[in-house]
Amino acid sequence: MRIQNFRFVGLLYNMSMVLGNVPLLMRNPRLFGLLCACWMAGVVLPLSGGAVETPAPGWTFTEKERPVFVNGPTNELCVLRNGWGEEICPKRWSATGHLQFDPLPPGYYWLSDRVSFCVVRADPCCDANSPYAVDSAFSGCSAPGQYDCPWYGGDTYRVTAELMGRCGVVHTRERLEWRKIAKSEGQNDFSGYLDRARKLKVAGVVSTGLFHDVPDWLKRPGRRLPADLAELWRFMQTAARLFEPYYDAWEFWNEPELGFTSEPVWEYAAALKAYALGARAGSQSTVILPGALSNIEHFGYGQALFDSDAAKYVQAFNLHTYVEPKDYAGWRRDTDLFLKEAGISGWQVWLTESGTALDGNGACLGTRKGMMAHSREQEMVIAEFCPKSWILHRMSGIFRAWFFLFGCYNEQGGRRDWGTMRRDGSVKPVHAAMSALTGELGAARPEGSIRLVDGVRSFAFMRPDGKRVLAFWSVSNLETSGGVVRVDSQNERPLRLDGVSGEFRLVESGGDYILKPVPSDSESRFAADIPANEHLTMQIASRIFGIETAENCCVRFADGEMAYLT
């Protein structure tokens, strides 16, 4: 049993292993993961014969749908590769340029190494308490024209919302700008934002509303916050009431200490109080947040804010971070220290933006003029970062972490590509990682870390159905580096379950393990269950009767047949 690629993020579900002091259930092992490999970095090119199209929005199918493609090269052999780089399901395009596959397992796939698509779970997470969220800046970053959209009559909002739901993402972060709502003094038109909120709701996604940007007639010269706090109160009372079915929380202003406000902190605190009182008057259920600090190192601004009695008006602490995973532990300690000094120890920490610069600026020319795009290698860095980051924040006690950013978004004059989607409307591999993680862990409770072997991190979770899930991965330079990382240098070392580099091989004698497949001469109709039965017998012996037994588990061959390993 060899895991060819060591840069791996995986989930073992209902595993047949006993690891440390955490026993794991013994039947039907299911392996979920995303290979962080790149075999052809560069611009995604159309296949010969024209631009291939698909009826699936975002080039995303569920595991129960048949992937269908049209406008392909007629009568040409198609090479389909899965996320491991393995060639599967070779087929020819039809004489009319049509191609269809049987339903595929969840994962990320390439057609002839140039056109990619994603297969997600058919049972996405829908737990409202899921701690795994995305910042989408929905109204702006999914606006018409942000990416090519031949689906739903060009309705990019519907496509992005549907993709979130299919990935099992049930929380997003939206920016509501008052200046775009105010038609005239005292006249506000919420219809556009309400329509977009409904589309998210239909897809099973609720929003955290970020209030930002007031109309000019409400600002003093050179200032950014509203001058009339009574008008702010009235606006938020109306907004909180109208959006109560769609927003579960409201935050006031983005990174106020970074220059998004020009007023001193005490004036921001006064506006926050008027905002909070208006929101509470409009909705008794909504969670009210302060504006997120861009960095926990900005102790002074945050301390002054809570010295101004902000804690009486908000219900949780709001923060952003772009520190690298190697610095997470220190960052979390600094956060806890701040909470203590601010007098709010034990408060929920909402991480409403969590991203990384480990992928670097876009390495490829994008499909839009002036906008660079990720190479395939960079896309795989993000596909590795997202689940690792989500799990590490979850294990550190973060209430909810919003990955930045779902959709399409470029910064720094177009050089920086942040999005989980490409401008051609297709999705990047991180969507497969999101689907795998949220599907298994979206409703799961963290139990703690487990030491397997050197170079591997693993964390146990308990699902509401009583089944344990082990999330594990190999430690890579993504967790040890402070600069831009690559994925190709970590893709050669094999991983054995006993932690010794190498692979299982059949030997005449002197082997370390015994592998017992289904007996080939068995005529029993229960023959396929023999390995599981033997494993269960050994577990009963060790766990119930205290008999010392060798470590053992059930594994599967490539064709799915089960075997007993001890």
Side-chain angles (χ1 to χ4, degrees):
M1 176 178 292
R2 188 178 185 225
I3 298 179
Q4 182 76 26
N5 188 300
F6 202 62
R7 273 181 83 91
F8 180 77
V9 178
L11 300 173
L12 281 177
Y13 165 74
N14 223 13
M15 291 189 310
S16 55
M17 298 179 69
V18 180
L19 304 171
N21 295 319
V22 182
L24 299 167
L25 205 58
M26 303 304 157
R27 295 189 301 277
N28 302 328
R30 294 176 65 191
L31 182 64
F32 294 85
L34 181 69
L35 179 68
C36 291
C38 176
W39 55 88
M40 187 177 168
V43 181
V44 177
L45 300 174
L47 291 168
S48 58
V52 177
E53 298 177 350
T54 177
W59 293 71
T60 300
F61 305 86
T62 74
E63 59 189 317
K64 292 186 178 180
E65 296 173 341
R66 295 178 182 272
V68 175
F69 307 93
V70 297
N71 198 32
T74 59
N75 300 316
E76 185 175 301
L77 182 65
C78 173
V79 179
L80 177 65
R81 297 185 187 276
N82 62 15
W84 299 98
E86 301 167 336
E87 184 176 332
I88 56 174
C89 305
K91 282 195 172 185
R92 285 192 178 276
W93 292 85
S94 72
T96 59
H98 182 273
L99 184 67
Q100 177 175 294
F101 295 97
D102 290 334
L104 294 167
Y108 203 74
Y109 297 87
W110 290 91
L111 295 176
S112 298
D113 284 337
R114 296 187 177 185
V115 176
S116 63
F117 64 96
C118 185
V119 178
V120 296
R121 295 171 60 111
D123 57 341
C125 172
C126 57
D127 191 293
N129 296 315
S130 172
Y132 311 111
V134 296
D135 184 354
S136 63
F138 189 65
S139 288
C141 293
S142 290
Q146 288 294 320
Y147 57 84
D148 299 341
C149 184
W151 311 285
Y152 304 140
D155 190 344
T156 47
Y157 291 124
R158 181 179 173 184
V159 170
T160 304
E162 183 176 294
L163 291 173
M164 278 190 224
R166 287 196 161 203
C167 284
V169 172
V170 295
H171 290 277
T172 192
R173 184 171 180 246
E174 164 71 308
R175 287 151 177 74
L176 187 143
E177 299 178 54
W178 190 358
R179 63 183 176 85
K180 294 182 179 179
I181 292 171
K183 299 304 178 182
S184 61
E185 188 169 345
Q187 297 295 318
N188 299 303
D189 181 4
F190 293 92
S191 59
Y193 280 98
L194 283 169
D195 179 63
R196 294 188 284 274
R198 293 187 189 102
K199 289 177 179 177
L200 287 166
K201 186 75 170 182
V202 168
V205 183
V206 296
S207 298
T208 291
L210 167 60
F211 173 94
H212 218 282
D213 293 349
V214 300
D216 290 340
W217 55 267
L218 261 178
K219 295 186 292 186
R220 296 191 298 270
R223 298 299 182 97
R224 297 188 177 184
L225 293 172
D228 188 338
L229 298 188
E231 189 65 28
L232 173 62
W233 185 96
R234 285 189 288 270
F235 177 89
M236 276 312 303
Q237 180 192 36
T238 302
R241 174 177 54 82
L242 290 175
F243 288 88
E244 188 171 31
Y246 315 109
Y247 288 14
D248 64 349
W250 285 91
E251 54 179 311
F252 184 61
W253 226 265
N254 188 57
E255 300 176 347
E257 89 284 15
L258 264 195
F260 288 104
T261 63
S262 55
E263 293 81 353
V265 62
W266 50 87
E267 289 191 25
Y268 171 81
L272 170 64
K273 295 173 185 179
Y275 169 91
L277 290 172
R280 181 61 67 228
S283 170
Q284 292 298 307
S285 62
T286 193
V287 177
I288 301 171
L289 305 169
L293 296 181
S294 65
N295 196 314
I296 195 60
E297 292 180 357
H298 298 163
F299 267 48
Y301 192 98
Q303 187 66 57
L305 178 62
F306 283 94
D307 284 346
S308 300
D309 288 335
K312 296 179 181 178
Y313 298 85
V314 298
Q315 286 75 55
F317 182 57
N318 189 13
L319 187 61
H320 293 169
T321 189
Y322 290 82
V323 302
E324 309 310 347
K326 72 180 183 64
D327 298 320
Y328 278 3
W331 171 86
R332 191 66 175 97
R333 287 192 297 270
D334 290 344
T335 301
D336 287 339
L337 177 62
F338 171 82
L339 297 178
K340 180 179 179 180
E341 294 184 354
I344 54 175
S345 292
W347 272 35
Q348 290 179 354
V349 177
W350 292 40
L351 194 56
T352 50
E353 282 186 26
S354 176
T356 184
L358 289 173
D359 53 319
N361 286 340
C364 299
L365 294 175
T367 59
R368 302 291 178 87
K369 184 178 180 179
M371 294 186 183
M372 300 297 288
H374 277 148
S375 68
R376 293 191 188 181
E377 182 176 37
Q378 289 176 307
E379 291 180 354
M380 299 309 282
V381 170
I382 296 303
E384 180 183 356
F385 169 81
C386 177
K388 286 185 174 183
S389 174
W390 266 348
I391 289 174
L392 291 173
H393 286 315
R394 178 64 166 157
M395 299 307 297
S396 75
I398 296 297
F399 174 73
R400 183 170 292 135
W402 281 255
F403 173 80
F404 187 88
L405 177 135
F406 197 102
C408 292
Y409 184 50
N410 284 72
E411 276 188 334
Q412 300 176 17
R415 296 186 300 276
R416 186 74 175 93
D417 181 2
W418 284 106
T420 66
M421 296 179 65
R422 306 186 188 101
R423 297 285 177 175
D424 65 2
S426 61
V427 302
K428 300 177 184 179
V430 66
H431 281 232
M434 288 180 174
S435 173
L437 186 144
T438 59
E440 291 300 322
L441 302 184
R445 171 175 51 85
E447 292 191 320
S449 61
I450 301 174
R451 178 173 174 78
L452 292 177
V453 295
D454 291 341
V456 174
R457 302 188 72 177
S458 56
F459 305 93
F461 292 80
M462 177 64 75
R463 291 169 31 135
D465 58 10
K467 297 174 182 176
R468 279 192 175 91
V469 179
L470 185 74
F472 69 95
W473 62 73
S474 58
V475 176
S476 72
N477 54 2
L478 185 141
E479 293 157 87
T480 60
S481 173
V484 175
V485 301
R486 298 178 59 86
V487 298
D488 56 358
S489 61
Q490 300 286 324
N491 287 341
E492 297 177 356
R493 182 154 59 122
L495 171 66
R496 269 175 40 170
L497 293 181
D498 66 350
V500 180
S501 181
E503 61 183 349
F504 293 116
R505 297 185 300 273
L506 292 175
V507 295
E508 293 289 337
S509 62
D512 296 322
Y513 304 94
I514 299 173
L515 182 66
K516 301 174 71 173
V518 175
S520 60
D521 58 352
S522 175
E523 297 181 358
S524 170
R525 63 190 179 96
F526 300 111
D529 296 324
I530 288 177
N533 188 56
E534 184 168 359
H535 178 251
L536 176 61
T537 302
M538 297 295 285
Q539 293 301 308
I540 292 173
S542 62
R543 297 189 186 193
I544 297 179
F545 295 101
I547 300 173
E548 184 175 353
T549 63
E551 292 189 9
N552 55 88
C553 68
C554 284
V555 297
R556 289 189 186 274
F557 294 110
D559 62 1
E561 180 180 306
M562 185 180 291
Y564 174 72
L565 178 68
T566 185

